Amino acid sequence: MPLSSASTIIVLAGRVCPTSWADPPYINGYNPLGGRRHVKRQTALSLMIGIVFAACAQPTTEEQLIRDAASALGGAERLTAVKTIVIEGKGTQYNLGQDVVPGAWGQTFTITQYRRSIDVPAGRARTELTRTPNFAYYLGPAEQRQIQGIDGAVGYNVAASGTATRVGEAAAGDRRAELVRHPIVAMRAALDPTSRVTNLRTEDGQSIVDVSTTDGRAFTLAIDAATKRPSQVTTMSDNVVLGDIRISTTFGDYQDVGGWQLPMRFTTKTDNFTSVEVHAATHVVDANAGDLAAPAAAASAAVPVAPAPNVTVADVSPGIWQLAGGSHRSVLVEFADRLVLFEAPQNDARTLAVIAKARELRPGKPLTHVVNSHHHFDHSGGIRAAVSEGLTIVTHMGNTTFFEEIVKRPHTLVPDALSKNPKPLKMEAVGDEKVITDGAMTMHLYDVPGEHSSTMLMAYFPRERLLLEADMYEPDEDLHVFAPRFLEEVKKRRVRVDRIVSLHSNVAPYDRLLKDAASMKQRR
Ligand SMILES: [Zn+2]
């Protein structure tokens, strides 16, 4: 981030003092003229000079902390002159929100060919990596190349084909926030005389301050009391399921690199869940970072905005409908006195549209329950919306603690339906089996553990000989990683099935599962 152009600044051993009075000076974010522009300039200047000299004579404890941290890294003057940073190495990604049970961290991707390049003054960064799953992954065991970047307001991805696409505002905002999760970038922001550094406190041997910049960035900076080096940067973000989340990056294994103290280990956590670890093999300041401008195709594209959810209705059987029209479908089941929905997916917008469509289909009957297939964030992103609509959540017993927690979590950064319309959580846990029936329509809910999730439910309709499931078998896809295990679990239930209703595919004959499971078994 560039230094303020409002006045000429000399950084003297980390101490920031204005040397030109042509423009208003800024002292750690406090502009003496701010909000008082009616004061005559002469008076303002006298006041200002008094404040400046007083401040220069006696640094605040926050200023002293930042000054010491700058010295410990390599010096304030050098810090404010840094142009680029390039980190190369390897690491591990964890599967937040998609592991086998809520909160698990056993599923990992090995990261190789990692390179993160940052153009500090321009606010540009690009991360390139190859990731290889160490678990049964729905796309198979093959490695994937990922390129993600930010260039000012433009966030973008580059596909393996080389095609660049612009990402939505939320993802771009997260990538802008990620820029400060590096000690040099964080320290530059803290040293910027237009920034505010406040609220010094001490926790576990760390001195902690809050930093806010005039361009709207805010983060918490922890500085090790012993080494004086930055130890952690924390930013706040929104997650559809988790609401307000702390994303923290801890800096470890500091080494001397060309006179700089630079961390060789970056550990990023979402609240208490470790999401990525990077081990740097090289970490270089002011190396050639290459061209970090957003590719033209992304830079010239409009910011993509999620379209309004489209909910279409497809008859499956009398009293059973697929509510489709998006990547994640739901299924509506009509009983004599009520309607039951299977799946509240993705987010508020999708789930509220699905609930509205269900009520529109059978306006005379109350929609009372929603069955959740499994805890994965894309399949539970509408749970809070369903609670806000008064529905009872039916889920595998292994998910109940997690759902109790997510219903309680604050969503203040991006208020959602439940935070605007709080309702108590009503939940029914399913162990091995649960039957919902009115004598005619009968739905069995079965525990169906597997590699994809071990807190998973499928539904079986004996009269219709229908099996309803999510993610374990997608008839429309080419790869069927979980199909052999899924078939084993289905056979254990000794059910007679004619058709499979999948939440990501069209209804398919049971025979196709037999065929796809057999061919997948051979490939393995
Ligand atoms: Zn899933």
PDB file of all heavy atoms in Angstrom, residues 91-95 99 105-111 131-137 274 277:
ATOM      1  N   GLY A  91       2.678 -27.623   0.731  1.00  0.00           N
ATOM      2  CA  GLY A  91       1.831 -27.512   1.910  1.00  0.00           C
ATOM      3  C   GLY A  91       0.677 -28.488   1.913  1.00  0.00           C
ATOM      4  O   GLY A  91       0.701 -29.518   1.223  1.00  0.00           O
ATOM      5  N   THR A  92      -0.311 -28.146   2.713  1.00  0.00           N
ATOM      6  CA  THR A  92      -1.469 -29.012   2.905  1.00  0.00           C
ATOM      7  C   THR A  92      -2.725 -28.157   2.963  1.00  0.00           C
ATOM      8  O   THR A  92      -2.743 -27.124   3.637  1.00  0.00           O
ATOM      9  CB  THR A  92      -1.338 -29.791   4.243  1.00  0.00           C
ATOM     10  OG1 THR A  92      -0.099 -30.491   4.242  1.00  0.00           O
ATOM     11  CG2 THR A  92      -2.477 -30.784   4.424  1.00  0.00           C
ATOM     12  N   GLN A  93      -3.750 -28.603   2.250  1.00  0.00           N
ATOM     13  CA  GLN A  93      -5.068 -27.976   2.369  1.00  0.00           C
ATOM     14  C   GLN A  93      -5.984 -28.956   3.087  1.00  0.00           C
ATOM     15  O   GLN A  93      -5.912 -30.159   2.846  1.00  0.00           O
ATOM     16  CB  GLN A  93      -5.685 -27.734   0.984  1.00  0.00           C
ATOM     17  CG  GLN A  93      -5.397 -26.409   0.357  1.00  0.00           C
ATOM     18  CD  GLN A  93      -6.123 -26.250  -0.984  1.00  0.00           C
ATOM     19  OE1 GLN A  93      -6.893 -27.106  -1.408  1.00  0.00           O
ATOM     20  NE2 GLN A  93      -5.848 -25.158  -1.650  1.00  0.00           N
ATOM     21  N   TYR A  94      -6.858 -28.431   3.929  1.00  0.00           N
ATOM     22  CA  TYR A  94      -7.836 -29.268   4.625  1.00  0.00           C
ATOM     23  C   TYR A  94      -9.210 -29.040   4.011  1.00  0.00           C
ATOM     24  O   TYR A  94      -9.429 -28.081   3.275  1.00  0.00           O
ATOM     25  CB  TYR A  94      -7.801 -28.964   6.123  1.00  0.00           C
ATOM     26  CG  TYR A  94      -6.462 -29.339   6.737  1.00  0.00           C
ATOM     27  CD1 TYR A  94      -5.367 -28.489   6.621  1.00  0.00           C
ATOM     28  CD2 TYR A  94      -6.288 -30.548   7.358  1.00  0.00           C
ATOM     29  CE1 TYR A  94      -4.131 -28.841   7.150  1.00  0.00           C
ATOM     30  CE2 TYR A  94      -5.053 -30.913   7.893  1.00  0.00           C
ATOM     31  CZ  TYR A  94      -3.983 -30.050   7.788  1.00  0.00           C
ATOM     32  OH  TYR A  94      -2.762 -30.405   8.301  1.00  0.00           O
ATOM     33  N   ASN A  95     -10.146 -29.941   4.347  1.00  0.00           N
ATOM     34  CA  ASN A  95     -11.415 -29.983   3.624  1.00  0.00           C
ATOM     35  C   ASN A  95     -12.536 -29.388   4.471  1.00  0.00           C
ATOM     36  O   ASN A  95     -13.497 -30.083   4.814  1.00  0.00           O
ATOM     37  CB  ASN A  95     -11.714 -31.455   3.259  1.00  0.00           C
ATOM     38  CG  ASN A  95     -12.464 -31.583   1.961  1.00  0.00           C
ATOM     39  OD1 ASN A  95     -12.647 -30.594   1.235  1.00  0.00           O
ATOM     40  ND2 ASN A  95     -12.929 -32.784   1.665  1.00  0.00           N
ATOM     41  N   ASP A  99     -15.592 -32.636   5.050  1.00  0.00           N
ATOM     42  CA  ASP A  99     -14.964 -33.868   5.518  1.00  0.00           C
ATOM     43  C   ASP A  99     -16.046 -34.884   5.902  1.00  0.00           C
ATOM     44  O   ASP A  99     -17.234 -34.621   5.747  1.00  0.00           O
ATOM     45  CB  ASP A  99     -14.031 -33.543   6.708  1.00  0.00           C
ATOM     46  CG  ASP A  99     -12.843 -34.493   6.795  1.00  0.00           C
ATOM     47  OD1 ASP A  99     -13.068 -35.718   6.788  1.00  0.00           O
ATOM     48  OD2 ASP A  99     -11.693 -34.021   6.877  1.00  0.00           O
ATOM     49  N   TRP A 105     -10.795 -33.245  10.318  1.00  0.00           N
ATOM     50  CA  TRP A 105      -9.707 -32.650   9.530  1.00  0.00           C
ATOM     51  C   TRP A 105      -8.805 -33.731   8.932  1.00  0.00           C
ATOM     52  O   TRP A 105      -7.661 -33.473   8.600  1.00  0.00           O
ATOM     53  CB  TRP A 105      -8.906 -31.680  10.393  1.00  0.00           C
ATOM     54  CG  TRP A 105      -8.583 -32.205  11.759  1.00  0.00           C
ATOM     55  CD1 TRP A 105      -9.341 -32.052  12.881  1.00  0.00           C
ATOM     56  CD2 TRP A 105      -7.456 -33.003  12.147  1.00  0.00           C
ATOM     57  NE1 TRP A 105      -8.747 -32.693  13.941  1.00  0.00           N
ATOM     58  CE2 TRP A 105      -7.593 -33.285  13.527  1.00  0.00           C
ATOM     59  CE3 TRP A 105      -6.352 -33.504  11.468  1.00  0.00           C
ATOM     60  CZ2 TRP A 105      -6.666 -34.058  14.229  1.00  0.00           C
ATOM     61  CZ3 TRP A 105      -5.430 -34.270  12.175  1.00  0.00           C
ATOM     62  CH2 TRP A 105      -5.590 -34.532  13.529  1.00  0.00           C
ATOM     63  N   GLY A 106      -9.345 -34.936   8.774  1.00  0.00           N
ATOM     64  CA  GLY A 106      -8.550 -36.049   8.264  1.00  0.00           C
ATOM     65  C   GLY A 106      -8.365 -36.029   6.751  1.00  0.00           C
ATOM     66  O   GLY A 106      -7.416 -36.618   6.225  1.00  0.00           O
ATOM     67  N   GLN A 107      -9.278 -35.374   6.038  1.00  0.00           N
ATOM     68  CA  GLN A 107      -9.160 -35.335   4.576  1.00  0.00           C
ATOM     69  C   GLN A 107      -8.287 -34.150   4.178  1.00  0.00           C
ATOM     70  O   GLN A 107      -8.572 -33.009   4.535  1.00  0.00           O
ATOM     71  CB  GLN A 107     -10.543 -35.204   3.940  1.00  0.00           C
ATOM     72  CG  GLN A 107     -11.423 -36.423   4.181  1.00  0.00           C
ATOM     73  CD  GLN A 107     -12.717 -36.367   3.402  1.00  0.00           C
ATOM     74  OE1 GLN A 107     -13.143 -35.311   2.938  1.00  0.00           O
ATOM     75  NE2 GLN A 107     -13.355 -37.517   3.237  1.00  0.00           N
ATOM     76  N   THR A 108      -7.223 -34.444   3.437  1.00  0.00           N
ATOM     77  CA  THR A 108      -6.302 -33.372   3.053  1.00  0.00           C
ATOM     78  C   THR A 108      -5.967 -33.449   1.564  1.00  0.00           C
ATOM     79  O   THR A 108      -6.119 -34.488   0.928  1.00  0.00           O
ATOM     80  CB  THR A 108      -4.972 -33.470   3.834  1.00  0.00           C
ATOM     81  OG1 THR A 108      -4.370 -34.742   3.540  1.00  0.00           O
ATOM     82  CG2 THR A 108      -5.184 -33.334   5.324  1.00  0.00           C
ATOM     83  N   PHE A 109      -5.519 -32.326   1.062  1.00  0.00           N
ATOM     84  CA  PHE A 109      -4.919 -32.255  -0.274  1.00  0.00           C
ATOM     85  C   PHE A 109      -3.447 -31.908  -0.072  1.00  0.00           C
ATOM     86  O   PHE A 109      -3.130 -30.971   0.681  1.00  0.00           O
ATOM     87  CB  PHE A 109      -5.551 -31.150  -1.111  1.00  0.00           C
ATOM     88  CG  PHE A 109      -7.016 -31.318  -1.409  1.00  0.00           C
ATOM     89  CD1 PHE A 109      -7.984 -30.876  -0.517  1.00  0.00           C
ATOM     90  CD2 PHE A 109      -7.437 -31.900  -2.595  1.00  0.00           C
ATOM     91  CE1 PHE A 109      -9.337 -31.000  -0.791  1.00  0.00           C
ATOM     92  CE2 PHE A 109      -8.788 -32.038  -2.891  1.00  0.00           C
ATOM     93  CZ  PHE A 109      -9.740 -31.589  -1.985  1.00  0.00           C
ATOM     94  N   THR A 110      -2.562 -32.619  -0.740  1.00  0.00           N
ATOM     95  CA  THR A 110      -1.149 -32.236  -0.729  1.00  0.00           C
ATOM     96  C   THR A 110      -0.948 -31.132  -1.759  1.00  0.00           C
ATOM     97  O   THR A 110      -1.380 -31.254  -2.902  1.00  0.00           O
ATOM     98  CB  THR A 110      -0.265 -33.442  -1.078  1.00  0.00           C
ATOM     99  OG1 THR A 110      -0.425 -34.405  -0.040  1.00  0.00           O
ATOM    100  CG2 THR A 110       1.201 -33.046  -1.181  1.00  0.00           C
ATOM    101  N   ILE A 111      -0.322 -30.057  -1.308  1.00  0.00           N
ATOM    102  CA  ILE A 111      -0.051 -28.932  -2.215  1.00  0.00           C
ATOM    103  C   ILE A 111       1.398 -29.017  -2.676  1.00  0.00           C
ATOM    104  O   ILE A 111       2.312 -29.103  -1.856  1.00  0.00           O
ATOM    105  CB  ILE A 111      -0.241 -27.580  -1.505  1.00  0.00           C
ATOM    106  CG1 ILE A 111      -1.662 -27.432  -0.966  1.00  0.00           C
ATOM    107  CG2 ILE A 111       0.097 -26.435  -2.436  1.00  0.00           C
ATOM    108  CD1 ILE A 111      -1.844 -26.181  -0.111  1.00  0.00           C
ATOM    109  N   ARG A 131      -2.873 -29.340  -6.393  1.00  0.00           N
ATOM    110  CA  ARG A 131      -3.324 -30.064  -5.200  1.00  0.00           C
ATOM    111  C   ARG A 131      -3.774 -31.468  -5.574  1.00  0.00           C
ATOM    112  O   ARG A 131      -4.390 -31.678  -6.611  1.00  0.00           O
ATOM    113  CB  ARG A 131      -4.410 -29.304  -4.443  1.00  0.00           C
ATOM    114  CG  ARG A 131      -5.714 -29.153  -5.171  1.00  0.00           C
ATOM    115  CD  ARG A 131      -6.739 -28.485  -4.263  1.00  0.00           C
ATOM    116  NE  ARG A 131      -8.092 -28.921  -4.610  1.00  0.00           N
ATOM    117  CZ  ARG A 131      -9.165 -28.664  -3.887  1.00  0.00           C
ATOM    118  NH1 ARG A 131      -9.071 -27.983  -2.774  1.00  0.00           N
ATOM    119  NH2 ARG A 131     -10.349 -29.092  -4.263  1.00  0.00           N
ATOM    120  N   THR A 132      -3.425 -32.398  -4.705  1.00  0.00           N
ATOM    121  CA  THR A 132      -3.730 -33.803  -4.947  1.00  0.00           C
ATOM    122  C   THR A 132      -4.460 -34.353  -3.731  1.00  0.00           C
ATOM    123  O   THR A 132      -3.933 -34.276  -2.616  1.00  0.00           O
ATOM    124  CB  THR A 132      -2.427 -34.602  -5.160  1.00  0.00           C
ATOM    125  OG1 THR A 132      -1.635 -33.906  -6.130  1.00  0.00           O
ATOM    126  CG2 THR A 132      -2.716 -36.006  -5.648  1.00  0.00           C
ATOM    127  N   PRO A 133      -5.687 -34.881  -3.910  1.00  0.00           N
ATOM    128  CA  PRO A 133      -6.421 -35.376  -2.743  1.00  0.00           C
ATOM    129  C   PRO A 133      -5.795 -36.631  -2.168  1.00  0.00           C
ATOM    130  O   PRO A 133      -5.304 -37.487  -2.901  1.00  0.00           O
ATOM    131  CB  PRO A 133      -7.819 -35.669  -3.313  1.00  0.00           C
ATOM    132  CG  PRO A 133      -7.617 -35.863  -4.774  1.00  0.00           C
ATOM    133  CD  PRO A 133      -6.430 -35.037  -5.164  1.00  0.00           C
ATOM    134  N   ASN A 134      -5.809 -36.712  -0.824  1.00  0.00           N
ATOM    135  CA  ASN A 134      -5.308 -37.902  -0.130  1.00  0.00           C
ATOM    136  C   ASN A 134      -6.465 -38.748   0.402  1.00  0.00           C
ATOM    137  O   ASN A 134      -6.323 -39.426   1.404  1.00  0.00           O
ATOM    138  CB  ASN A 134      -4.435 -37.481   1.052  1.00  0.00           C
ATOM    139  CG  ASN A 134      -3.207 -36.750   0.569  1.00  0.00           C
ATOM    140  OD1 ASN A 134      -2.568 -37.187  -0.381  1.00  0.00           O
ATOM    141  ND2 ASN A 134      -2.887 -35.642   1.186  1.00  0.00           N
ATOM    142  N   PHE A 135      -7.617 -38.651  -0.266  1.00  0.00           N
ATOM    143  CA  PHE A 135      -8.807 -39.362   0.208  1.00  0.00           C
ATOM    144  C   PHE A 135      -9.675 -39.640  -1.016  1.00  0.00           C
ATOM    145  O   PHE A 135      -9.375 -39.159  -2.111  1.00  0.00           O
ATOM    146  CB  PHE A 135      -9.558 -38.521   1.245  1.00  0.00           C
ATOM    147  CG  PHE A 135      -9.993 -37.168   0.743  1.00  0.00           C
ATOM    148  CD1 PHE A 135     -11.295 -36.960   0.314  1.00  0.00           C
ATOM    149  CD2 PHE A 135      -9.097 -36.106   0.685  1.00  0.00           C
ATOM    150  CE1 PHE A 135     -11.695 -35.716  -0.166  1.00  0.00           C
ATOM    151  CE2 PHE A 135      -9.490 -34.857   0.198  1.00  0.00           C
ATOM    152  CZ  PHE A 135     -10.792 -34.661  -0.220  1.00  0.00           C
ATOM    153  N   ALA A 136     -10.736 -40.420  -0.812  1.00  0.00           N
ATOM    154  CA  ALA A 136     -11.648 -40.722  -1.918  1.00  0.00           C
ATOM    155  C   ALA A 136     -12.394 -39.440  -2.269  1.00  0.00           C
ATOM    156  O   ALA A 136     -13.270 -38.993  -1.529  1.00  0.00           O
ATOM    157  CB  ALA A 136     -12.620 -41.816  -1.499  1.00  0.00           C
ATOM    158  N   TYR A 137     -12.017 -38.862  -3.372  1.00  0.00           N
ATOM    159  CA  TYR A 137     -12.531 -37.544  -3.765  1.00  0.00           C
ATOM    160  C   TYR A 137     -13.466 -37.738  -4.948  1.00  0.00           C
ATOM    161  O   TYR A 137     -13.200 -38.557  -5.825  1.00  0.00           O
ATOM    162  CB  TYR A 137     -11.341 -36.657  -4.140  1.00  0.00           C
ATOM    163  CG  TYR A 137     -11.671 -35.218  -4.426  1.00  0.00           C
ATOM    164  CD1 TYR A 137     -12.354 -34.446  -3.487  1.00  0.00           C
ATOM    165  CD2 TYR A 137     -11.282 -34.621  -5.610  1.00  0.00           C
ATOM    166  CE1 TYR A 137     -12.643 -33.115  -3.736  1.00  0.00           C
ATOM    167  CE2 TYR A 137     -11.554 -33.285  -5.864  1.00  0.00           C
ATOM    168  CZ  TYR A 137     -12.245 -32.540  -4.929  1.00  0.00           C
ATOM    169  OH  TYR A 137     -12.524 -31.226  -5.176  1.00  0.00           O
ATOM    170  N   THR A 274      -7.942 -25.618  11.152  1.00  0.00           N
ATOM    171  CA  THR A 274      -6.810 -25.352  10.257  1.00  0.00           C
ATOM    172  C   THR A 274      -7.255 -25.621   8.820  1.00  0.00           C
ATOM    173  O   THR A 274      -7.727 -26.708   8.506  1.00  0.00           O
ATOM    174  CB  THR A 274      -5.615 -26.246  10.607  1.00  0.00           C
ATOM    175  OG1 THR A 274      -5.253 -25.991  11.961  1.00  0.00           O
ATOM    176  CG2 THR A 274      -4.425 -25.959   9.701  1.00  0.00           C
ATOM    177  N   GLU A 277      -1.865 -25.055   5.340  1.00  0.00           N
ATOM    178  CA  GLU A 277      -0.505 -24.843   5.856  1.00  0.00           C
ATOM    179  C   GLU A 277       0.427 -24.751   4.657  1.00  0.00           C
ATOM    180  O   GLU A 277       0.336 -25.588   3.749  1.00  0.00           O
ATOM    181  CB  GLU A 277      -0.065 -26.033   6.717  1.00  0.00           C
ATOM    182  CG  GLU A 277      -0.779 -26.137   8.039  1.00  0.00           C
ATOM    183  CD  GLU A 277      -0.525 -27.486   8.710  1.00  0.00           C
ATOM    184  OE1 GLU A 277      -0.573 -28.515   8.026  1.00  0.00           O
ATOM    185  OE2 GLU A 277      -0.287 -27.482   9.908  1.00  0.00           O
TER     186      GLU A 277
END
